[in-house]
Amino acid sequence: MSLTEQPSGRKDTLLIALAGQQNAGKSTLFNALTGLQQHIANYPGVTVDKKSGFYTHNGQKIEIVDLPGTYALTSFSPEERVARNFLLNEPPDLIVNIADASNLERSLLLTFQLMALERPMLLVLNMMDMAERLGLAIDTDTLSRHLGIPVIATISSKRNCINALKETISEVASSRLPPPRLHYGELEETVTRLEKAWLPEPPLPHYPARWAVTQYLEEDNGIIQAASTASPQAWQNFVAKAGNITQPYQPNRAEHTADILAKQRSEAAKAACKAAVQHIQTRPSDITEQLDRFLLNRLLAPFFLLLTIWIIYQLSIVEGYELAKAFWPVLAWMRHFIGGLLPEAGFLFDSPIRSMGLWMIDSANTLLNYVPIFLVLFSLIAILEDSGYMARIAFILDRILHRFGLHGQSTLPLILAGVFAGGCAVPGVMATKGIPDTRARMATILTVPFMNCLAKIPLYTLLVNIYFPNHKGLVLFYIATITIIAALLVSKLLTGSILRKMETAPFVMELPHYHLPGIKSVLRRAIDRTWIYVKKVGSIVLAVATVVYALLQFPGLSKEQEAAYIEKGKTAIARFYTEMEGNPHLQAVSEQEDLFQLINVYNEFRAEKLLATTAEASQKILASYSEKYPQFQAFLQTDGDKAAKKAARSLKKLDNARKDLRREMKEMRIENSILGTIGRSMEPVTQFANFNWKINVALLSSFAARESSVATLGVLFGQDDEENATLEERMGNEQQEQGYDALTAAALILFFALYPPCLATTIMIRIQTGSYRWMLFSIIFPTLLGFVIAGSVYTLGNALGWSGLQAFSYLYAAALTLLLIVGLYRKPVQSSP
């Protein structure tokens, strides 16, 4: 954004950067300052959220950028790199450093690093109410004089504090005074000489010289790479000069220069706190310590963790699903409304515009139906984050997850994706952005899709009810837990092979004080995260859904097949007219065009009646249609005279015949489609797991959305002579005909559990990793792994005469044994010579 100067020297828009450590209340202040005028995107090349917002104060427009929470300005984690790259490459008019007043000394470590950037600074002491409860009195004037920068105290929930903060921001930004420099003690002379060596021909002219040379002394890879790439010759010249400056002192130093610089910042923070902070009373054991005695107790911590997870599932998945069901009529009404704007349906064939339009609406509704669940889920996550318990969940599980190459902060993504059942991999992958360890983050992204998302449950339920009716509980337990075992083992495999060269970060865990979450902050983040999900995934899903539609529709029916169905349709119509002979209501549909209009009106009428929630609403719909289509009234009401009842029955029979023909055409179109052809071409390979073309097509269609597997099977296993049979009954009959049994079901369940993530998840993997290669890997690797396991289980079980339950049990025992061996194995520590 270009900033233009007005004649008075005042900028049209001030650029303000909010910087601070995690759990300092930075996002809460950002929301309070900007309100609804926010924009959320991703920083280029990374997965960290970029939040910016605007507000106007005293006629001045102010843009605020909320930088990721970070403990330092190194290049160690994505958050740190994003924060410092923004501050260096897009220098703001003012850096507003948000510090936790209850942990001031720790917060000041980042403050001194920010001051080194030589931009105007304002230190905001947030959470003053917490500091007071801890018995701390902070003199902001004394602290300001000691640091040499303005200091203001705030409580983010109080409006008057926000107004005062806005006023102070404007005042400090207009002064444009850089903060004073920190003296580096025994290294001060070295830093000064290096600064002079940097300045004549700076490799990075827009970097503050003093900050750049301190990063050089700390051997920061980020600045080394940036400088050597931007100005290779200037960098070589500086390195040569720097070697002459630092070499004489190295042999005499017991400490590394990075440790000395960190020590100077620490001592400066202690001195500032000593000057400005008073302990006005002996602090008793606070609420945080009291709660942690129970929540982090070695014996009680797992119990509270499981209880928390259960509550999350109960409220978000169970109760949230009830909200989704209540929300569904709205989506159904939207489909009905948009369908009314499309060309009318034909008797057997619809126009391409209508077919594709309804397909797109259905694809969108599949996505939007989960919005209530996500709102509840993200609200609960925000509560856990704001309360301080989320950090403790990571702390509790880090030791276990670390053994398998994961991270304490991998916990939340795994929970969201469905550790037990009912999650969704999309928010699970989204949640990995908070993992600072790159290798563990990638391992989490690639294993999160193994979890039991809500969309997998219909197929599991279908197969368990058909093939394991007497052992439902045991098989569901296997399904619920074997996915966790698989995720841990695969993570260990990946981090020990293709991910082993990725950089790692130490697990630095800060346990913040417990806080009571603010309603506005929780709702704001829940809405923001849900909107990101809808916006990023929804648009792409709709685009790809068009491709899936084409693959299921083309090349379509042959001319001979179309002619045969047209003839069947004519027969059904002729039967209707035969039944209507002598009926006084026949004149309303004497022409076929009138009959086709009646069928469309009849289906629209029934769709609206299904959406009616009361008898009164249903009567209003009937009255509306009777007024709009008086000639069809007799066909729509069921309480008319004998002639009307007979006409209504004839219409219903014709509509049912039409639906049967359209269903048969749909099944044949799928069988002849590109996807159907692919499904048949896969049979020579998939026969090793006993998957025929119908199962192959169902699995292929489920790539777009997991729910599609059962929906596709419902079409593929439809039979004329079993009009009222359930899908379980239809598939059960076919198993007897083609030799499908519980062993096939076990292989299919295992493959489906390890099957590549759905379309929405793969797109999110592309967004989070920024790489098409990793997206393709997330598809290819699970496919091969799943099929090898499914094929091995079926082939070995068939050869040894195992039942489906036996095969499942043996595989589960083997996987659990391998998990224990890998988890308990410790690599020998090599002693130094």
Side-chain angles (χ1 to χ4, degrees):
M1 180 185 66
S2 61
L3 302 176
T4 59
E5 296 279 354
Q6 295 181 342
S8 62
R10 175 175 165 177
K11 289 185 173 180
D12 290 333
T13 303
L14 288 177
L15 180 60
I16 310 297
L18 284 188
Q21 296 179 347
Q22 297 177 12
N23 302 307
K26 183 169 53 63
S27 295
T28 303
L29 280 176
F30 173 77
N31 292 330
L33 287 169
T34 60
L36 298 176
Q37 300 184 63
Q38 298 180 11
H39 174 71
I40 301 176
N42 268 354
Y43 288 94
V46 296
T47 59
V48 180
D49 280 346
K50 178 180 182 179
K51 290 184 179 181
S52 62
F54 295 88
Y55 71 88
T56 303
H57 184 73
N58 293 336
Q60 173 91 67
K61 187 176 182 181
I62 297 175
E63 179 185 4
I64 292 188
V65 175
D66 183 15
L67 297 177
T70 177
Y71 293 100
L73 292 182
T74 62
S75 59
F76 213 61
S77 70
E79 290 79 10
E80 292 171 352
R81 289 194 291 268
V82 162
R84 83 172 193 174
N85 287 343
F86 179 87
L87 294 171
L88 290 169
N89 300 326
E90 302 178 57
D93 297 290
L94 175 67
I95 299 174
V96 178
N97 177 206
I98 311 298
D100 181 358
S102 62
N103 287 293
L104 183 57
E105 183 177 324
R106 184 207 64 209
S107 298
L108 288 178
L109 297 177
L110 176 62
T111 302
F112 287 118
Q113 295 184 57
L114 293 170
M115 290 171 63
L117 297 177
E118 300 178 3
R119 302 299 301 173
M121 262 191 69
L122 169 63
L123 177 61
V124 177
L125 302 183
N126 196 28
M127 303 183 185
M128 286 296 291
D129 50 345
M130 176 61 70
E132 291 174 1
R133 287 200 295 271
L134 295 177
L136 302 176
I138 303 176
D139 188 333
T140 55
D141 292 334
T142 301
L143 183 61
S144 177
R145 289 194 299 270
H146 191 91
L147 297 177
I149 59 175
V151 179
I152 184 175
T154 65
I155 299 175
S156 57
S157 59
K158 294 187 177 181
R159 186 65 196 173
N160 59 335
C161 290
I162 301 302
N163 293 333
L165 177 58
K166 289 182 177 180
E167 185 66 31
T168 307
I169 287 175
S170 297
E171 292 176 359
V172 179
S174 61
S175 69
R176 305 184 185 178
L177 295 176
R181 295 182 167 194
L182 176 66
H183 192 279
Y184 288 112
E186 63 181 281
L187 279 181
E188 181 61 31
E189 180 182 354
T190 302
V191 171
T192 302
R193 294 182 62 189
L194 286 175
E195 188 178 356
K196 292 178 180 179
W198 175 279
L199 285 175
E201 189 184 0
L204 297 168
H206 58 292
Y207 281 23
R210 187 175 176 85
W211 178 85
V213 299
T214 56
Q215 296 304 113
Y216 168 77
L217 288 173
E218 292 183 359
E219 298 180 359
D220 186 288
N221 289 328
I223 194 169
I224 294 174
Q225 293 176 1
S228 59
T229 302
S231 305
Q233 188 59 49
W235 174 248
Q236 291 178 9
N237 294 338
F238 168 74
V239 171
K241 296 177 184 178
N244 295 329
I245 295 172
T246 59
Q247 185 60 37
Y249 302 96
Q250 291 299 331
N252 300 323
R253 289 203 178 100
E255 292 181 283
H256 193 278
T257 51
D259 297 329
I260 298 175
L261 293 171
K263 180 180 178 182
Q264 292 299 320
R265 297 189 190 104
S266 179
E267 290 179 353
K270 291 179 181 178
C273 290
K274 183 177 180 180
V277 180
Q278 286 186 323
H279 295 268
I280 56 178
Q281 62 183 24
T282 302
R283 181 174 63 86
S285 176
D286 67 352
I287 186 70
T288 293
E289 293 181 358
Q290 294 174 20
L291 286 174
D292 278 345
R293 288 194 187 116
F294 293 96
L295 298 180
L296 297 184
N297 180 276
R298 179 169 296 183
L299 298 178
L300 297 178
F303 168 77
F304 286 118
L305 176 59
L306 292 176
L307 178 62
T308 300
I309 295 174
W310 180 84
I311 291 174
I312 291 175
Y313 272 96
Q314 184 66 27
L315 293 180
S316 63
I317 305 303
V318 179
E319 302 301 330
Y321 187 67
E322 294 301 317
L323 288 177
K325 289 196 295 186
F327 181 58
W328 179 252
V330 177
L331 299 177
W333 176 88
M334 183 175 68
R335 184 189 192 278
H336 176 72
F337 174 77
I338 298 177
L341 302 178
L342 297 172
E344 287 191 355
F347 185 74
L348 291 181
F349 301 94
D350 294 340
S351 67
I353 295 177
R354 179 177 180 84
S355 297
M356 182 173 290
L358 291 177
W359 175 276
M360 300 295 283
I361 295 168
D362 291 337
S363 299
N365 281 354
T366 301
L367 171 69
L368 295 175
N369 190 43
Y370 291 101
V371 166
I373 293 177
F374 289 152
L375 283 172
V376 176
L377 194 60
F378 288 136
S379 295
L380 294 173
I381 293 170
I383 290 173
L384 289 180
E385 291 172 341
D386 285 359
S387 67
Y389 188 64
M390 185 63 76
R392 288 161 173 83
I393 293 177
F395 175 78
I396 294 169
L397 293 179
D398 176 69
R399 179 173 297 181
I400 298 173
L401 295 177
H402 183 71
R403 289 178 177 268
F404 297 94
L406 296 174
H407 192 277
Q409 293 183 14
S410 301
T411 307
L412 175 61
L414 295 174
I415 292 174
L416 294 180
V419 164
F420 301 114
C424 178
V426 174
V429 174
M430 289 172 63
T432 60
K433 67 175 57 182
I435 302 175
D437 187 312
T438 304
R439 184 167 63 190
R441 180 174 171 275
M442 283 300 307
T444 308
I445 289 174
L446 296 173
T447 54
V448 151
F450 291 159
M451 299 299 102
N452 294 314
C453 72
L454 185 66
K456 291 182 180 180
I457 304 305
L459 182 64
Y460 292 154
T461 304
L462 174 69
L463 295 176
V464 170
N465 281 327
I466 296 175
Y467 299 101
F468 304 98
N470 299 323
H471 304 91
K472 295 180 182 178
L474 179 60
V475 175
L476 288 173
F477 170 78
Y478 285 161
I479 295 172
T481 53
I482 201 168
T483 50
I484 304 173
I485 296 173
L488 294 176
L489 290 175
V490 169
S491 174
K492 186 67 174 179
L493 173 66
L494 295 178
T495 53
S497 55
I498 62 174
L499 301 179
R500 69 183 184 278
K501 293 184 179 180
M502 286 190 171
E503 62 180 14
T504 60
F507 182 59
V508 180
M509 175 52 61
E510 173 200 352
L511 299 182
H513 293 286
Y514 289 105
H515 298 282
L516 188 64
I519 296 178
K520 288 184 179 180
S521 175
V522 169
L523 292 179
R524 162 63 59 189
R525 273 183 289 166
I527 293 172
D528 285 347
R529 289 171 177 176
T530 304
W531 177 241
I532 290 173
Y533 165 78
V534 173
K535 186 171 59 174
K536 286 183 177 178
V537 181
S539 58
I540 305 176
V541 166
L542 293 180
V544 180
T546 306
V547 178
V548 176
Y549 171 83
L551 293 176
L552 286 173
Q553 298 298 316
F554 294 103
L557 303 177
S558 66
K559 291 183 179 181
E560 292 78 10
Q561 290 170 332
E562 284 190 5
Y565 280 111
I566 290 174
E567 193 61 34
K568 290 181 180 179
K570 289 180 179 179
T571 302
I573 294 173
R575 188 183 306 118
F576 169 81
Y577 279 115
T578 300
E579 293 179 359
M580 288 292 294
E581 286 182 1
N583 195 310
H585 301 294
L586 176 62
Q587 60 182 356
V589 290
S590 57
E591 300 293 333
Q592 278 198 11
E593 289 76 9
D594 296 327
L595 177 60
F596 295 162
Q597 183 187 14
L598 170 60
I599 291 175
N600 288 331
V601 170
Y602 173 71
N603 282 286
E604 291 175 7
F605 170 71
R606 293 186 62 192
E608 287 198 25
K609 286 200 69 175
L610 288 174
L611 296 175
T613 55
T614 63
E616 182 181 354
S618 180
Q619 288 299 320
K620 286 183 178 180
I621 293 172
L622 176 60
S624 173
Y625 271 80
S626 297
E627 181 180 354
K628 191 175 181 181
Y629 306 102
Q631 71 275 27
F632 299 148
Q633 181 178 359
F635 294 91
L636 301 180
Q637 59 184 12
T638 58
D639 56 350
D641 54 30
K642 289 184 178 180
K645 289 181 179 179
K646 184 178 179 181
R649 286 196 299 269
S650 297
L651 175 62
K652 185 176 181 180
K653 288 173 62 177
L654 175 61
D655 186 61
N656 288 337
R658 171 179 177 258
K659 288 179 179 177
D660 288 340
L661 290 174
R662 290 170 70 98
R663 189 179 299 113
E664 290 178 20
M665 290 167 59
K666 180 180 179 181
E667 179 178 350
M668 184 168 292
R669 190 179 292 114
I670 291 176
E671 185 175 350
N672 295 339
S673 69
I674 297 174
L675 271 183
T677 304
I678 294 174
R680 287 194 179 279
S681 67
M682 292 167 59
E683 283 187 330
V685 177
T686 60
Q687 64 177 339
F688 293 103
N690 205 29
F691 297 168
N692 69 352
W693 76 270
K694 292 186 177 182
I695 295 177
N696 294 341
V697 170
L699 291 173
L700 288 172
S701 67
S702 72
F703 176 68
R706 285 289 179 261
E707 302 89 342
S708 300
S709 58
V710 173
T712 305
L713 288 172
V715 174
L716 299 179
F717 283 88
Q719 296 180 28
D720 294 339
D721 56 350
E722 294 180 342
E723 182 176 346
N724 297 319
T726 65
L727 178 56
E728 286 89 345
E729 292 170 340
R730 299 199 300 270
M731 288 185 65
N733 289 337
E734 183 151 331
Q735 85 169 33
Q736 297 175 359
E737 297 174 7
Q738 300 191 19
Y740 297 142
D741 53 15
L743 187 59
T744 304
L748 180 56
I749 290 173
L750 289 170
F751 180 79
F752 200 67
L754 302 176
Y755 187 52
C758 66
L759 176 64
T761 305
T762 56
I763 293 169
M764 188 54 65
I765 290 174
R766 162 66 182 88
I767 293 171
Q768 293 299 317
T769 62
S771 169
Y772 284 104
R773 288 190 302 171
W774 284 119
M775 183 184 77
L776 292 175
F777 180 83
S778 73
I779 297 173
I780 296 172
F781 175 74
T783 301
L784 296 177
L785 177 65
F787 186 74
V788 167
I789 291 178
S792 299
V793 166
Y794 178 80
T795 302
L796 186 62
N798 191 47
L800 298 178
W802 291 345
S803 68
L805 184 63
Q806 285 177 316
F808 221 142
S809 299
Y810 294 152
L811 176 71
Y812 187 87
L816 183 60
T817 301
L818 181 60
L819 181 78
L820 294 175
I821 294 173
V822 173
L824 295 176
Y825 173 75
R826 290 181 179 273
K827 188 176 180 179
V829 179
Q830 296 181 354
S831 58
S832 57

